[in-house]
């Protein structure tokens, strides 16, 4: 062994240097892509509009109709019956704003046109006192409404509360969300 470089390997120092340079460039591009994606993710998340197009608020934490223990006037349990539901929630009784919400929910129901038969309407009260002015197609229920705020709620055919709306948002915002849900839904 004389200490002379082995020239039989076929790689010159220039080729090795070029290979290392290419590897460094590839790693830099990969890291820059990952860093850019992370910055876009954090930036989009901070804007408040995080990938949703709905107008209502998601019911959080998730609630099912079963948990509310809803009963109708005859004492029967609530059953979604494979239909979408639009509930007007009136925990403190049905006053003027509740009656206006019922009227708006009727308009929303009418504007669904061919999908109107996929939706039923309901009125949820904390204590049972039938609302005499409520339309006949509105099912009235009483239950443990504890955490539910006054407003309207879309309930899926499985009994999951999906989106909540204030009384002021019952109308076009609710209608748009409901149409979108009915369009993409494979159930109900």
């Amino acid at each position: 062994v004389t200490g002379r470089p082995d020239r039989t390997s076929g790689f010159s120092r220039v080729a090795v240097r070029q290979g290392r340079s290419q590897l460094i460039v590839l790693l830099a591009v990969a890291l820059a892509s990952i860093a850019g994606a992370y910055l876009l993710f954090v930036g989009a998340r901070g804007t408040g509009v995080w990938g949703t197009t709905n107008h209502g608020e998601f019911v959080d934490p998730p609630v099912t109709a079963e948990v509310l223990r809803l009963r109708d006037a005859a004492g029967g349990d609530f059953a979604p019956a494979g239909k979408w539901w639009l509930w007007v929630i009136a925990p403190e009784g049905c006053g003027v704003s509740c009656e206006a919400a019922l009227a708006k929910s009727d308009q929303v129901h009418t504007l669904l046109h061919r999908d109107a038969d996929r939706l039923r309407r309901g009125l949820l009260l904390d204590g049972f006192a039938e609302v005499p002015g409520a339309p006949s197609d509105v099912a009235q229920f009483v239950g443990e409404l504890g955490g539910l705020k006054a407003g309207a709620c879309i309930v899926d055919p499985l009994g999951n509360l999906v989106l909540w709306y204030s009384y002021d948002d019952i109308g076009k915002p609710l209608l748009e969300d409901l149409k979108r849900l009915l369009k993409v839904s494979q159930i109900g």
Side-chain angles (χ1 to χ4, degrees):
V1 180
T2 61
R4 293 181 358 194
D6 182 23
R7 300 200 188 272
T8 59
S9 66
F11 295 111
S12 67
R13 289 184 181 194
V14 173
V16 170
R17 224 178 280 135
Q18 283 178 342
R20 283 186 188 150
S21 298
Q22 289 174 346
L23 179 63
I24 290 171
V25 168
L26 284 173
L27 288 175
V29 168
L31 289 174
S33 298
I34 291 171
Y38 178 76
L39 290 174
L40 284 173
F41 172 76
V42 170
R45 207 167 159 200
T47 62
V49 182
W50 180 236
T52 60
T53 57
N54 54 291
H55 301 288
E57 297 176 25
F58 286 110
V59 176
D60 190 31
V63 177
T64 62
E66 186 177 307
V67 172
L68 300 176
R69 296 189 178 129
L70 298 175
R71 297 199 168 284
D72 61 17
D77 291 335
F78 168 78
K83 299 272 187 185
W84 286 85
W85 283 81
L86 175 56
W87 287 347
V88 173
I89 304 165
E92 289 136 21
C94 194
V96 175
S97 56
C98 168
E99 290 175 6
L102 283 171
K104 287 182 191 177
S105 73
D106 184 44
Q107 293 170 354
V108 166
H109 191 230
T110 302
L111 290 172
L112 286 175
H113 303 295
R114 65 186 169 112
D115 285 328
D117 62 333
R118 296 176 65 191
L119 179 78
R120 295 207 48 208
R121 296 185 307 138
L123 174 62
L124 274 60
L125 302 164
D126 204 11
F128 205 79
E130 282 203 33
V131 178
S136 60
D137 68 324
V138 174
Q140 296 184 39
F141 298 99
V142 63
E144 299 174 16
L145 306 184
L148 294 180
K149 301 180 285 186
C153 194
I154 296 175
V155 182
D156 73 11
L158 302 175
N160 301 307
L161 282 69
V162 181
L163 294 169
W164 177 87
Y165 302 83
S166 69
Y167 283 148
D168 294 333
D169 289 334
I170 300 172
K172 187 174 180 180
L174 187 144
L175 177 65
E176 289 175 359
D177 288 349
L178 197 52
K179 281 183 174 181
R180 190 175 305 115
L181 283 169
L182 292 173
K183 180 179 179 181
V184 298
S185 173
Q186 299 296 317
I187 57 176

